[in-house]
Amino acid sequence: MNLNSYSFFLFFFIIFILYYTVCKRRQQELLLISSIFFILCYSPFCFVLLLFVTVSAYGASCLIVKKASYGKKYAIISTVLFLGILAVFKYLMFGVNMWNRMMTALTGSENVVTPALQIMLPVGISFYIFQNIGYVWDVYKKRAPAEKSFAKYLLFISYFPKFTVGPIERAEGFMPQMQQETREFSYANAVAGLRIVMIGLFKKVAVADVLAPVVNNVFDNPAEYTGLSLMIATILYTFQIYCDFSGYADLAIGYSKMLGINLMQNFHSPYFSKSISGFWRRWHISLSSWFRDFVYIPLGGNRVGKMRHMFNTMVTFVLSGIWHGASLNFWVWGGVHGILLCIENGLNKGRERHKKGLRRSGFAEAAKWGLTFVCISVVWVFFRANSLRGAVYIISHYFSQWQFNLSYVKASIVSMGFTELTCVVVLVSLGILVVIDWLQCKRSISDVLGVQKPYIRWGIYFFFVFYILFCKMYMAQSQQFIYFQF
């Protein structure tokens, strides 16, 4: 069940009613049963695997508390176990394919080829593996107490709104909320949650799903398009992946808010960043903070020499790319971001010695934002392209076959699959998105709507509802959430 599907709406509506009525004194039990049912809808195997990992992490945390002198050993063993499980599902098939290619090249015969494997990636595995690893180390470092109740810990890991695509919650933020046995219905929480859900649906349906067919046309057949089409597709994918991923996060946060549970913010208007480091403080915040706390800082962070700092940065971002999947594209994507950050850090240190007392100009700030946005958009090509060769082709052909006339521009847009109506919807949706993100730079859109006069607020509600329904029925092709594959 996708969080934007009609079946999930019905599922959540039933839970919401039961949560505040019949099961008011058994709310946590209801959430746990609902989460298990939600996972079983995908596959019983997914739940069995989740249960094994969760029991292992829970057992490791208990051992760490009981035998503190061996705590680090238990944390390391459980981490190796969890990463090994993740590697089997993400990299075994990749490793077999690479082995087959190497052996075929060396022997010239396909008789020695190992049978190809077809391994389906269990839904949510990358997210709950990291959540379990983070919990074990948080307990070892005494950043969070070990949870005594296995049921509460299982709910922490399996909680259905965040299960498939995160955010990757930390125990110190989520577990204290589980100490509250009963939550009363809150009109303020319900309204705030619905507003966040509305924005999430807008991002997913009216932006990401509308852009997906056009973006797919170009990225799946880049050689058939000229430079302008490749540039437009690159920019559109930049918005597609943001709205697809942050749209899911908004849905998870909004549904949870309606249940009186707060999830961490996973995005904070990342495309308004004026630096690569600023972008990563605003993009996929739960994953970025996880790598910061469990990889970057343990390596020494920035409290080391210049070369070691560069090494720490590169290792962190290459591992981030590896986490995304067994593909050279992801590794290059992570590596390029690491290189950009190293360059940025070097330039910033040089500027600090010369710009003390200087005032920042508006033009300089706009230039920094523009350069950051261009760099991020181009690097996204490695993430989306079907192969590394395809990514290089797209980037290297941005300026190919250009013609400086209106007919060329129109032909390029039409060739991508745009119609006049699609162009209008895309421009309107992106315009609304920019306004929403600009407003959310300082305060949440829910708070912004809350202070408006009733007729303005309800007018906005009706517009969004009808606009989302229109895009759902006539413009958007329902797409799986992009991060389901991770």
Tab-separated table of all heavy atoms in Angstrom, residues 105-149:
chain	number	residue	atom	x	y	z
A	105	ALA	N	35.463	-12.643	-19.829
A	105	ALA	CA	36.531	-11.885	-20.484
A	105	ALA	C	37.864	-12.624	-20.414
A	105	ALA	O	38.651	-12.614	-21.368
A	105	ALA	CB	36.654	-10.504	-19.843
A	106	LEU	N	38.120	-13.305	-19.296
A	106	LEU	CA	39.394	-13.987	-19.117
A	106	LEU	C	39.473	-15.294	-19.902
A	106	LEU	O	40.522	-15.639	-20.463
A	106	LEU	CB	39.634	-14.266	-17.626
A	106	LEU	CG	39.930	-13.047	-16.745
A	106	LEU	CD1	40.013	-13.462	-15.278
A	106	LEU	CD2	41.245	-12.373	-17.167
A	107	THR	N	38.360	-16.043	-19.932
A	107	THR	CA	38.373	-17.371	-20.558
A	107	THR	C	37.831	-17.371	-21.982
A	107	THR	O	38.102	-18.295	-22.747
A	107	THR	CB	37.550	-18.363	-19.713
A	107	THR	OG1	36.187	-17.939	-19.691
A	107	THR	CG2	38.085	-18.416	-18.283
A	108	GLY	N	37.046	-16.341	-22.300
A	108	GLY	CA	36.428	-16.313	-23.634
A	108	GLY	C	35.309	-17.312	-23.781
A	108	GLY	O	34.820	-17.563	-24.885
A	109	SER	N	34.886	-17.908	-22.674
A	109	SER	CA	33.830	-18.912	-22.716
A	109	SER	C	32.780	-18.578	-21.671
A	109	SER	O	33.098	-18.110	-20.575
A	109	SER	CB	34.390	-20.310	-22.433
A	109	SER	OG	33.334	-21.255	-22.282
A	110	GLU	N	31.527	-18.852	-21.997
A	110	GLU	CA	30.441	-18.619	-21.060
A	110	GLU	C	30.077	-19.878	-20.287
A	110	GLU	O	29.134	-19.875	-19.496
A	110	GLU	CB	29.207	-18.085	-21.791
A	110	GLU	CG	29.430	-16.722	-22.433
A	110	GLU	CD	28.160	-16.164	-23.035
A	110	GLU	OE1	27.123	-16.853	-22.953
A	110	GLU	OE2	28.195	-15.041	-23.585
A	111	ASN	N	30.826	-20.968	-20.497
A	111	ASN	CA	30.524	-22.225	-19.802
A	111	ASN	C	30.843	-22.145	-18.315
A	111	ASN	O	30.313	-22.921	-17.524
A	111	ASN	CB	31.315	-23.375	-20.433
A	111	ASN	CG	30.853	-23.656	-21.859
A	111	ASN	OD1	29.689	-23.436	-22.194
A	111	ASN	ND2	31.765	-24.139	-22.698
A	112	VAL	N	31.747	-21.215	-17.925
A	112	VAL	CA	32.140	-21.117	-16.523
A	112	VAL	C	31.322	-20.069	-15.773
A	112	VAL	O	31.591	-19.767	-14.623
A	112	VAL	CB	33.641	-20.751	-16.410
A	112	VAL	CG1	34.502	-21.866	-16.949
A	112	VAL	CG2	33.922	-19.432	-17.130
A	113	VAL	N	30.349	-19.536	-16.446
A	113	VAL	CA	29.544	-18.470	-15.847
A	113	VAL	C	28.662	-19.020	-14.737
A	113	VAL	O	28.013	-20.049	-14.897
A	113	VAL	CB	28.678	-17.769	-16.918
A	113	VAL	CG1	27.676	-16.820	-16.264
A	113	VAL	CG2	29.562	-17.012	-17.892
A	114	THR	N	28.661	-18.354	-13.623
A	114	THR	CA	27.794	-18.706	-12.503
A	114	THR	C	26.359	-18.327	-12.840
A	114	THR	O	26.130	-17.252	-13.392
A	114	THR	CB	28.235	-17.955	-11.227
A	114	THR	OG1	29.609	-18.238	-10.972
A	114	THR	CG2	27.388	-18.370	-10.030
A	115	PRO	N	25.387	-19.175	-12.526
A	115	PRO	CA	23.991	-18.834	-12.831
A	115	PRO	C	23.603	-17.483	-12.242
A	115	PRO	O	23.933	-17.181	-11.093
A	115	PRO	CB	23.207	-19.980	-12.174
A	115	PRO	CG	24.179	-21.109	-12.111
A	115	PRO	CD	25.528	-20.495	-11.905
A	116	ALA	N	22.933	-16.686	-13.046
A	116	ALA	CA	22.515	-15.356	-12.598
A	116	ALA	C	21.485	-15.469	-11.475
A	116	ALA	O	20.672	-16.386	-11.450
A	116	ALA	CB	21.935	-14.568	-13.770
A	117	LEU	N	21.571	-14.549	-10.552
A	117	LEU	CA	20.648	-14.532	-9.423
A	117	LEU	C	19.606	-13.431	-9.603
A	117	LEU	O	19.906	-12.357	-10.110
A	117	LEU	CB	21.422	-14.291	-8.118
A	117	LEU	CG	22.439	-15.360	-7.709
A	117	LEU	CD1	23.194	-14.904	-6.477
A	117	LEU	CD2	21.766	-16.694	-7.455
A	118	GLN	N	18.407	-13.709	-9.164
A	118	GLN	CA	17.351	-12.706	-9.164
A	118	GLN	C	16.865	-12.549	-7.724
A	118	GLN	O	16.127	-13.382	-7.216
A	118	GLN	CB	16.208	-13.130	-10.089
A	118	GLN	CG	16.565	-13.178	-11.559
A	118	GLN	CD	16.903	-11.797	-12.116
A	118	GLN	OE1	16.361	-10.796	-11.662
A	118	GLN	NE2	17.791	-11.755	-13.090
A	119	ILE	N	17.352	-11.522	-7.068
A	119	ILE	CA	17.022	-11.301	-5.668
A	119	ILE	C	16.195	-10.028	-5.550
A	119	ILE	O	16.643	-8.949	-5.950
A	119	ILE	CB	18.292	-11.183	-4.800
A	119	ILE	CG1	19.124	-12.467	-4.908
A	119	ILE	CG2	17.923	-10.901	-3.350
A	119	ILE	CD1	20.429	-12.406	-4.149
A	120	MET	N	14.999	-10.164	-5.014
A	120	MET	CA	14.145	-8.999	-4.806
A	120	MET	C	14.548	-8.296	-3.520
A	120	MET	O	14.753	-8.939	-2.482
A	120	MET	CB	12.675	-9.432	-4.722
A	120	MET	CG	12.126	-10.009	-6.018
A	120	MET	SD	12.097	-8.796	-7.357
A	120	MET	CE	10.874	-7.656	-6.719
A	121	LEU	N	14.691	-6.984	-3.592
A	121	LEU	CA	15.066	-6.209	-2.419
A	121	LEU	C	13.851	-6.055	-1.505
A	121	LEU	O	12.839	-5.484	-1.902
A	121	LEU	CB	15.580	-4.827	-2.849
A	121	LEU	CG	16.198	-3.960	-1.756
A	121	LEU	CD1	17.502	-4.591	-1.263
A	121	LEU	CD2	16.452	-2.546	-2.260
A	122	PRO	N	13.923	-6.567	-0.267
A	122	PRO	CA	12.789	-6.429	0.657
A	122	PRO	C	12.478	-4.960	0.923
A	122	PRO	O	13.393	-4.147	1.097
A	122	PRO	CB	13.277	-7.134	1.929
A	122	PRO	CG	14.355	-8.060	1.465
A	122	PRO	CD	15.021	-7.348	0.325
A	123	VAL	N	11.228	-4.625	0.945
A	123	VAL	CA	10.817	-3.233	1.105
A	123	VAL	C	11.304	-2.686	2.446
A	123	VAL	O	11.212	-3.346	3.485
A	123	VAL	CB	9.283	-3.103	0.990
A	123	VAL	CG1	8.581	-3.835	2.115
A	123	VAL	CG2	8.872	-1.641	0.974
A	124	GLY	N	11.886	-1.481	2.400
A	124	GLY	CA	12.299	-0.781	3.611
A	124	GLY	C	13.575	-1.267	4.262
A	124	GLY	O	13.991	-0.725	5.292
A	125	ILE	N	14.248	-2.264	3.680
A	125	ILE	CA	15.379	-2.890	4.366
A	125	ILE	C	16.520	-1.908	4.644
A	125	ILE	O	17.120	-1.923	5.723
A	125	ILE	CB	15.900	-4.120	3.584
A	125	ILE	CG1	16.998	-4.837	4.387
A	125	ILE	CG2	16.398	-3.735	2.197
A	125	ILE	CD1	17.419	-6.171	3.805
A	126	SER	N	16.834	-1.032	3.701
A	126	SER	CA	17.934	-0.095	3.906
A	126	SER	C	17.656	0.840	5.072
A	126	SER	O	18.573	1.231	5.804
A	126	SER	CB	18.168	0.730	2.638
A	126	SER	OG	18.557	-0.091	1.560
A	127	PHE	N	16.398	1.206	5.245
A	127	PHE	CA	16.040	2.163	6.284
A	127	PHE	C	16.009	1.511	7.660
A	127	PHE	O	16.542	2.060	8.627
A	127	PHE	CB	14.687	2.803	5.947
A	127	PHE	CG	14.733	3.617	4.682
A	127	PHE	CD1	14.442	3.039	3.456
A	127	PHE	CD2	15.091	4.952	4.725
A	127	PHE	CE1	14.498	3.784	2.288
A	127	PHE	CE2	15.153	5.705	3.565
A	127	PHE	CZ	14.855	5.115	2.337
A	128	TYR	N	15.389	0.323	7.781
A	128	TYR	CA	15.324	-0.262	9.118
A	128	TYR	C	16.637	-0.905	9.540
A	128	TYR	O	16.919	-1.020	10.735
A	128	TYR	CB	14.137	-1.216	9.275
A	128	TYR	CG	14.158	-2.521	8.531
A	128	TYR	CD1	15.009	-3.567	8.892
A	128	TYR	CD2	13.257	-2.766	7.486
A	128	TYR	CE1	14.989	-4.784	8.225
A	128	TYR	CE2	13.225	-3.970	6.827
A	128	TYR	CZ	14.095	-4.977	7.188
A	128	TYR	OH	14.061	-6.188	6.524
A	129	ILE	N	17.482	-1.290	8.584
A	129	ILE	CA	18.821	-1.763	8.949
A	129	ILE	C	19.608	-0.632	9.596
A	129	ILE	O	20.227	-0.797	10.658
A	129	ILE	CB	19.571	-2.296	7.708
A	129	ILE	CG1	19.019	-3.655	7.273
A	129	ILE	CG2	21.074	-2.390	7.971
A	129	ILE	CD1	19.428	-4.825	8.140
A	130	PHE	N	19.593	0.541	8.972
A	130	PHE	CA	20.316	1.683	9.538
A	130	PHE	C	19.689	2.131	10.859
A	130	PHE	O	20.397	2.569	11.771
A	130	PHE	CB	20.313	2.842	8.537
A	130	PHE	CG	21.521	2.843	7.636
A	130	PHE	CD1	22.172	1.663	7.320
A	130	PHE	CD2	22.014	4.023	7.106
A	130	PHE	CE1	23.278	1.648	6.485
A	130	PHE	CE2	23.131	4.028	6.278
A	130	PHE	CZ	23.767	2.842	5.966
A	131	GLN	N	18.390	2.012	10.973
A	131	GLN	CA	17.726	2.405	12.217
A	131	GLN	C	18.146	1.480	13.351
A	131	GLN	O	18.393	1.939	14.479
A	131	GLN	CB	16.212	2.360	12.019
A	131	GLN	CG	15.431	3.109	13.074
A	131	GLN	CD	13.995	3.375	12.649
A	131	GLN	OE1	13.749	4.087	11.699
A	131	GLN	NE2	13.056	2.790	13.353
A	132	ASN	N	18.252	0.182	13.077
A	132	ASN	CA	18.693	-0.770	14.096
A	132	ASN	C	20.162	-0.559	14.460
A	132	ASN	O	20.522	-0.624	15.639
A	132	ASN	CB	18.474	-2.203	13.603
A	132	ASN	CG	17.058	-2.698	13.821
A	132	ASN	OD1	16.631	-2.903	14.942
A	132	ASN	ND2	16.320	-2.871	12.738
A	133	ILE	N	20.995	-0.311	13.467
A	133	ILE	CA	22.407	-0.054	13.751
A	133	ILE	C	22.550	1.201	14.614
A	133	ILE	O	23.301	1.222	15.601
A	133	ILE	CB	23.205	0.109	12.439
A	133	ILE	CG1	23.272	-1.221	11.686
A	133	ILE	CG2	24.623	0.624	12.723
A	133	ILE	CD1	23.923	-1.119	10.318
A	134	GLY	N	21.830	2.251	14.241
A	134	GLY	CA	21.892	3.489	15.013
A	134	GLY	C	21.451	3.287	16.446
A	134	GLY	O	22.058	3.830	17.383
A	135	TYR	N	20.399	2.476	16.641
A	135	TYR	CA	19.899	2.220	17.990
A	135	TYR	C	20.935	1.500	18.841
A	135	TYR	O	21.179	1.887	20.002
A	135	TYR	CB	18.617	1.398	17.916
A	135	TYR	CG	18.152	0.883	19.253
A	135	TYR	CD1	17.530	1.723	20.166
A	135	TYR	CD2	18.341	-0.457	19.609
A	135	TYR	CE1	17.099	1.253	21.405
A	135	TYR	CE2	17.917	-0.929	20.842
A	135	TYR	CZ	17.296	-0.079	21.738
A	135	TYR	OH	16.894	-0.551	22.955
A	136	VAL	N	21.552	0.467	18.284
A	136	VAL	CA	22.540	-0.307	19.041
A	136	VAL	C	23.695	0.587	19.483
A	136	VAL	O	24.136	0.551	20.643
A	136	VAL	CB	23.063	-1.493	18.192
A	136	VAL	CG1	24.276	-2.135	18.860
A	136	VAL	CG2	21.965	-2.528	17.991
A	137	TRP	N	24.191	1.425	18.581
A	137	TRP	CA	25.311	2.299	18.936
A	137	TRP	C	24.881	3.427	19.862
A	137	TRP	O	25.663	3.875	20.714
A	137	TRP	CB	25.965	2.855	17.675
A	137	TRP	CG	26.842	1.828	17.011
A	137	TRP	CD1	26.522	1.037	15.955
A	137	TRP	CD2	28.163	1.454	17.405
A	137	TRP	NE1	27.564	0.195	15.646
A	137	TRP	CE2	28.581	0.436	16.520
A	137	TRP	CE3	29.027	1.878	18.403
A	137	TRP	CZ2	29.846	-0.155	16.610
A	137	TRP	CZ3	30.285	1.287	18.506
A	137	TRP	CH2	30.681	0.283	17.616
A	138	ASP	N	23.655	3.892	19.727
A	138	ASP	CA	23.153	4.911	20.657
A	138	ASP	C	23.068	4.351	22.073
A	138	ASP	O	23.359	5.059	23.047
A	138	ASP	CB	21.777	5.416	20.207
A	138	ASP	CG	21.876	6.440	19.087
A	138	ASP	OD1	22.972	7.018	18.899
A	138	ASP	OD2	20.863	6.659	18.384
A	139	VAL	N	22.660	3.084	22.184
A	139	VAL	CA	22.617	2.451	23.503
A	139	VAL	C	24.029	2.286	24.040
A	139	VAL	O	24.297	2.572	25.223
A	139	VAL	CB	21.899	1.082	23.430
A	139	VAL	CG1	22.069	0.310	24.741
A	139	VAL	CG2	20.423	1.269	23.118
A	140	TYR	N	24.962	1.841	23.199
A	140	TYR	CA	26.346	1.668	23.638
A	140	TYR	C	26.964	2.998	24.074
A	140	TYR	O	27.666	3.062	25.100
A	140	TYR	CB	27.177	1.052	22.508
A	140	TYR	CG	28.657	1.079	22.792
A	140	TYR	CD1	29.214	0.285	23.791
A	140	TYR	CD2	29.511	1.914	22.067
A	140	TYR	CE1	30.570	0.326	24.075
A	140	TYR	CE2	30.858	1.965	22.328
A	140	TYR	CZ	31.393	1.170	23.341
A	140	TYR	OH	32.739	1.226	23.615
A	141	LYS	N	26.693	4.062	23.324
A	141	LYS	CA	27.248	5.382	23.647
A	141	LYS	C	26.442	6.102	24.732
A	141	LYS	O	26.770	7.225	25.102
A	141	LYS	CB	27.262	6.257	22.392
A	141	LYS	CG	28.193	5.774	21.291
A	141	LYS	CD	29.645	5.993	21.656
A	141	LYS	CE	30.560	5.634	20.487
A	141	LYS	NZ	31.998	5.871	20.808
A	142	LYS	N	25.378	5.438	25.223
A	142	LYS	CA	24.504	5.990	26.258
A	142	LYS	C	23.810	7.277	25.814
A	142	LYS	O	23.474	8.145	26.629
A	142	LYS	CB	25.298	6.240	27.549
A	142	LYS	CG	25.788	4.949	28.207
A	142	LYS	CD	26.523	5.234	29.498
A	142	LYS	CE	26.779	3.955	30.278
A	142	LYS	NZ	27.492	2.917	29.514
A	143	ARG	N	23.575	7.369	24.503
A	143	ARG	CA	22.776	8.496	24.005
A	143	ARG	C	21.291	8.197	24.136
A	143	ARG	O	20.463	9.103	24.046
A	143	ARG	CB	23.125	8.794	22.537
A	143	ARG	CG	24.498	9.402	22.330
A	143	ARG	CD	24.679	9.906	20.916
A	143	ARG	NE	24.835	8.827	19.969
A	143	ARG	CZ	25.970	8.544	19.323
A	143	ARG	NH1	27.059	9.285	19.544
A	143	ARG	NH2	26.029	7.546	18.463
A	144	ALA	N	20.971	6.918	24.303
A	144	ALA	CA	19.571	6.506	24.487
A	144	ALA	C	19.560	5.270	25.395
A	144	ALA	O	20.450	4.413	25.290
A	144	ALA	CB	18.920	6.182	23.147
A	145	PRO	N	18.587	5.182	26.284
A	145	PRO	CA	18.486	3.989	27.145
A	145	PRO	C	17.979	2.800	26.351
A	145	PRO	O	17.247	2.955	25.371
A	145	PRO	CB	17.480	4.421	28.214
A	145	PRO	CG	16.616	5.440	27.528
A	145	PRO	CD	17.524	6.170	26.579
A	146	ALA	N	18.371	1.614	26.774
A	146	ALA	CA	17.877	0.404	26.119
A	146	ALA	C	16.396	0.225	26.462
A	146	ALA	O	16.002	0.326	27.620
A	146	ALA	CB	18.674	-0.812	26.566
A	147	GLU	N	15.590	-0.036	25.456
A	147	GLU	CA	14.158	-0.226	25.657
A	147	GLU	C	13.905	-1.613	26.258
A	147	GLU	O	14.374	-2.620	25.737
A	147	GLU	CB	13.414	-0.067	24.333
A	147	GLU	CG	11.925	-0.341	24.392
A	147	GLU	CD	11.228	0.523	25.426
A	147	GLU	OE1	11.417	1.757	25.399
A	147	GLU	OE2	10.507	-0.049	26.277
A	148	LYS	N	13.154	-1.643	27.347
A	148	LYS	CA	12.872	-2.914	28.018
A	148	LYS	C	11.759	-3.683	27.320
A	148	LYS	O	11.761	-4.919	27.318
A	148	LYS	CB	12.501	-2.652	29.475
A	148	LYS	CG	13.653	-2.049	30.282
A	148	LYS	CD	13.232	-1.808	31.730
A	148	LYS	CE	14.385	-1.194	32.522
A	148	LYS	NZ	13.992	-0.930	33.929
A	149	SER	N	10.810	-2.984	26.746
A	149	SER	CA	9.669	-3.640	26.105
A	149	SER	C	9.983	-3.935	24.644
A	149	SER	O	10.198	-3.019	23.846
A	149	SER	CB	8.428	-2.746	26.197
A	149	SER	OG	7.397	-3.230	25.371
